[in-house]
Amino acid sequence: MDLRKCCRYSLLDFLLTLFGIGAFLFDIGTDLWAAAEFYLVGDYYWFGTVLFLTFTSSLVVQLFSWFWFQYDSQLENFSEVAANEGLFWRRGILRLLHFFHLGFLFRYLTVMVQGFLVWWRERKESGYIVYLTHDLSMLRLFETFTESTPQLVFILYTIISRNKVEVYQYVSITASFLSVAWMVLDYHRSLRSFLPEKNNLGCISSLVYFLWNLLLITSRIVAVAVFTSVLPPYVGLHFLLLWASLLFWAGIQKTDFMDSPAGEWLYRAMVALILYFSWFNVAKGRTLGRSVIYHTFIAVDSGILLVTWWFYRDPTSTDAYVMPVMVILPFLYLMGIMFKVLYYWKFHPPVWDPVTEAEQDVIDDLIGFRSLPATEIPQTMINKRMYTLANKFFFSSQKPQHHRVNGSSSNTTV
Amino acid sequence: MPGSDLLAVVLLGVCLLQTAGAQNAGFVKSPMSETKLTGDTFELYCDVVGNPTPEIQWWYAEVNRADSFKQLWDGARKRRVSMNTAYGANGVSVLRITRLTLEDSGTYECRASNDPRRNDLRQNPAITWIRAQATITVLQKPQINGTREVILQTNDTSPVTLQCNLTDDNSSFSQSYWMKNGEEIPGTRQNNKSTEYKISKPRADESGQYQCVFSFSNRPSANLTIEVKAAPDITGHKRSENLNEGQTALMYCKSVGYPHPSWQWKKLNNGAPMEIPNITGRCFIESKDNYTELKIINLQIDEDPGVYQCNALNSIGEKSMTTILRVRSHLAPLWPFLGVLAEIIILVIIIVIYEKRKKPDEVPDDDEPAGPMKTNSTNNHKDKNLRQRNTN
């Protein structure tokens, strides 16, 4: 495996990071603006809800960012690399930044600055940037699920209860749905960037991956939103019950992602939250069974939510769209499942199997990959977290036969 | 004699005290002169202070007859004169004359006195009474001809025109404009003695009290009130209301239209309206002009759900709208959560079975790469072996 290839940071990546910063700031801005609007109109509960969601999501993201900085600082050669690459690293300042919820933005800015330096000085090896981008991609995924998805549910709830929708809200909701699915796709591509080129998602594979996530997440969010519209205070209870059982599941899968127990449980809590909305694979081994259990459970749960809405809704205001929703939502879910099956059957890029590679070099490279001699470290720095996850997905989920030409659906991974 | 001297001193002292405590009457507020039109009403105020509290009278003298004042009394001039006087710390009096005629012009005088000798005929009133005057000029109200009353029909879409014509050869006319319900309609000012206002779309909210106003340079403006009536139209109401037991239901109806309707709330029983049974006293109705509210507190699931109808009735017509009230029982959220609990229990059981069943096949792969930096070759071989073991 060519390390240098995996760690290239191109102009495109730089532009995407720029766009990411803009999108993130725009998101925060619109959230605060929406909260202010609610306050001015007098909807104090809704104002409080929006503020609460924004604040907790920011808090969780900053916590993760801080934990990761802690872990990185405990790595052996980190300070040398940091000094080498001219990274800004002063513990006290970082702690202050994170306290004021600026840690996430700081990571973005660091990536941008480093990326600019790479482009300007035309450095080929930019391992550290890719390292940071991986972290960023995961943080963005977390941020999406702690903030965007509950916001979406909330916006849909306000639309349903007011029974009118503005044009700009159509646009904003569509953009939100697309961005959630896009984030999941982006995270998956980030995972795959460890692998050789041919194992990365091609265009069509990406499209199919994007589509099934979009369909599943959309149907799930709409189901939660309509339930909220009939029993607003109870959606919190529903979330807590499901989240607790999903947390139990994450715990029983014995995830091992963070370096400290506190961090690990935070990670499991995060995973449980993501699972409430969308599938997220965190453990090694055959995921087909788990996937089946999960999707059946979510289907049953969404069904209960929809049926509750059907019985407790207000006929006069909802009659216009109840039948389309009741019919289309299960249909979307089924389509999502079908696309997922299609993806794993036809479009899943081959999982790289290092053991079957004929060249000995590759195996050596593999060994080299996992035990970089100290001299190599300053040049390429691999993000342990991404690497661990990628390792779990792609290296340990193998069938008895070692030959794998094109991934078959029985070897499902994320 | 010392006794009579003492008595004289005491009497003198008492007299002095009396005169020292007394205060002459004075005007706090005196009546002000005005110019009015025939048919109008005017009021004059008079506020006097003094100790003891002065008495107030109103006197009137015709124009150019300032020497012959006549006293006014409450109910004079065929009950067009009314006088309200109150004696407290101050004396306050209000003189009000309605339906003015040209003969009401003249000088009006407010007289006050607290002199104990004021009603003595041997005294000159000019000394014992203080006086304040006001001149009231009554001008002929200009004759305005115009439409008096218009009734807007809902099914009639042709425009309606209101007309006003000023027949007055007085040259002090300056401007004319229209007002609706006491507020000026913008863009209607013009210098014509004959003015029109067109209501292009006769709807219920175009009804109201319209006035064409003609203003003059040297006298008060004159207007004609035109009543534009229409049947009420209910513009705002809740089509349905879903609440839990014990909450308060608030159903309202808003209407447009003049004259203001009288409201009635009914409950529909199999399609037939009937009175709202208020046995338990939980229903409260509040109506005001164009708005009415029906409030039911402490909703009960067996009595209150149903269809409620608000009815607006005025002299032209009536309109009603219905609101459906639904009451959810306290146990409503129970059923879905029973389902959720059931599914969660099943999920947990399946998870436990599934994860525990997989365990004997798996070797716990605890020595995941701690980091790219620290492993050495021997570890890698072990890892590789472990990895291969995992495949079974």
Side-chain angles (χ1 to χ4, degrees), chain A residues 33-86:
Chain A
W33 177 57
E37 288 275 304
F38 284 137
Y39 184 77
L40 290 175
V41 173
D43 292 325
Y44 295 120
Y45 281 129
W46 291 2
F47 162 72
T49 311
V50 173
L51 269 191
F52 172 73
L53 287 176
T54 315
F55 180 72
T56 37
S57 102
S58 186
L59 182 71
V60 165
V61 165
Q62 303 302 327
L63 273 177
F64 271 111
S65 174
W66 175 245
F67 272 127
W68 291 345
F69 270 131
Q70 296 270 68
Y71 301 153
D72 287 344
S73 70
Q74 285 156 8
L75 291 176
E76 220 175 57
N77 296 309
F78 185 75
S79 35
E80 288 160 23
V81 177
N84 227 6
E85 306 245 348

Side-chain angles (χ1 to χ4, degrees), chain B residues 359-377:
Chain B
K359 261 222 169 133
D361 301 330
E362 250 178 38
V363 178
D365 204 354
D366 284 329
D367 54 339
E368 278 297 315
M373 332 289 171
K374 288 200 159 180
T375 55
N376 53 31
S377 319

Side-chain angles (χ1 to χ4, degrees), chain B residues 92-376:
Chain B
V92 180
S93 184
V94 178
L95 175 74
R96 183 187 162 93
I97 307 187
T98 59
R99 299 194 305 272
L100 289 170
T101 63
L102 292 172
E103 286 77 29
D104 289 323
S105 302
T107 311
Y108 289 79
E109 199 176 71
C110 173
R111 293 188 188 179
S113 170
N114 59 357
D115 192 325
R117 301 163 303 160
R118 59 182 177 272
N119 290 321
D120 191 343
L121 288 173
R122 293 169 294 180
Q123 296 293 328
N124 184 353
I127 299 176
T128 50
W129 289 82
I130 57 170
R131 295 175 290 169
Q133 287 185 349
T135 311
I136 301 294
T137 316
V138 182
L139 302 174
Q140 176 63 44
K141 189 178 226 173
Q143 175 76 2
I144 306 176
N145 289 329
T147 27
R148 276 281 162 180
E149 190 187 80
V150 176
I151 298 182
L152 302 175
Q153 302 291 346
T154 43
N155 43 12
D156 189 6
T157 52
S158 53
V160 168
T161 311
L162 307 174
Q163 280 180 326
C164 272
N165 205 354
L166 176 68
T167 54
D168 184 85
D169 46 359
N170 194 312
S171 55
S172 63
F173 166 72
S174 63
Q175 262 191 339
S176 68
Y177 60 92
W178 287 86
M179 297 210 321
K180 179 179 172 185
N181 295 331
E183 279 180 17
E184 182 181 337
I185 305 175
T188 50
R189 285 205 177 235
Q190 40 149 330
N191 299 330
N192 226 331
K193 279 195 186 178
S194 172
T195 176
E196 272 183 6
Y197 182 73
K198 187 164 156 182
I199 302 175
S200 38
K201 287 204 190 89
R203 292 191 309 254
D205 56 349
E206 301 276 6
S207 62
Q209 261 194 345
Y210 286 81
Q211 284 176 330
C212 55
V213 182
F214 296 88
S215 56
F216 302 89
S217 50
N218 65 353
R219 40 162 146 163
S221 54
N223 61 42
L224 178 71
T225 305
I226 304 171
E227 305 237 316
V228 179
K229 298 187 180 174
D233 192 17
I234 298 183
T235 51
H237 77 293
K238 266 190 214 165
R239 284 179 48 209
S240 72
E241 180 92 320
N242 290 303
L243 291 168
N244 297 324
E245 265 189 290
Q247 284 188 313
T248 301
L250 192 72
M251 288 173 278
Y252 67 88
C253 282
K254 276 191 205 155
S255 81
V256 291
Y258 179 84
H260 293 308
S262 70
W263 292 99
Q264 227 184 4
W265 282 93
K266 290 207 168 81
K267 189 169 175 186
L268 294 186
N269 207 355
N270 297 331
M274 44 171 265
E275 285 296 315
I276 298 177
N278 200 1
I279 311 169
T280 45
R282 292 177 291 112
C283 295
F284 301 95
I285 299 180
E286 252 180 62
S287 303
K288 181 176 66 173
D289 288 348
N290 275 336
Y291 179 74
T292 184
E293 215 173 65
L294 170 65
K295 186 152 74 168
I296 309 180
I297 60 174
N298 198 10
L299 288 170
Q300 303 294 323
I301 200 169
D302 36 349
E303 297 167 15
D304 295 325
V307 183
Y308 288 83
Q309 183 192 60
C310 69
N311 186 310
L313 173 72
N314 74 357
S315 51
I316 314 295
E318 68 176 327
K319 190 91 189 278
S320 46
M321 286 291 199
T322 55
T323 306
I324 306 177
L325 177 67
R326 274 187 214 91
V327 182
R328 267 209 303 250
S329 83
H330 284 307
L331 295 177
L334 183 65
W335 307 111
F337 277 99
L338 283 181
V340 169
L341 275 175
E343 74 171 356
I344 285 180
I345 291 175
I346 295 178
L347 174 76
V348 167
I349 292 176
I350 292 183
I351 290 173
V352 168
I353 293 177
Y354 186 76
E355 300 288 344
K356 296 289 182 213
R357 180 176 68 83
K358 277 167 63 85
K359 261 222 169 133
D361 301 330
E362 250 178 38
V363 178
D365 204 354
D366 284 329
D367 54 339
E368 278 297 315
M373 332 289 171
K374 288 200 159 180
T375 55
N376 53 31

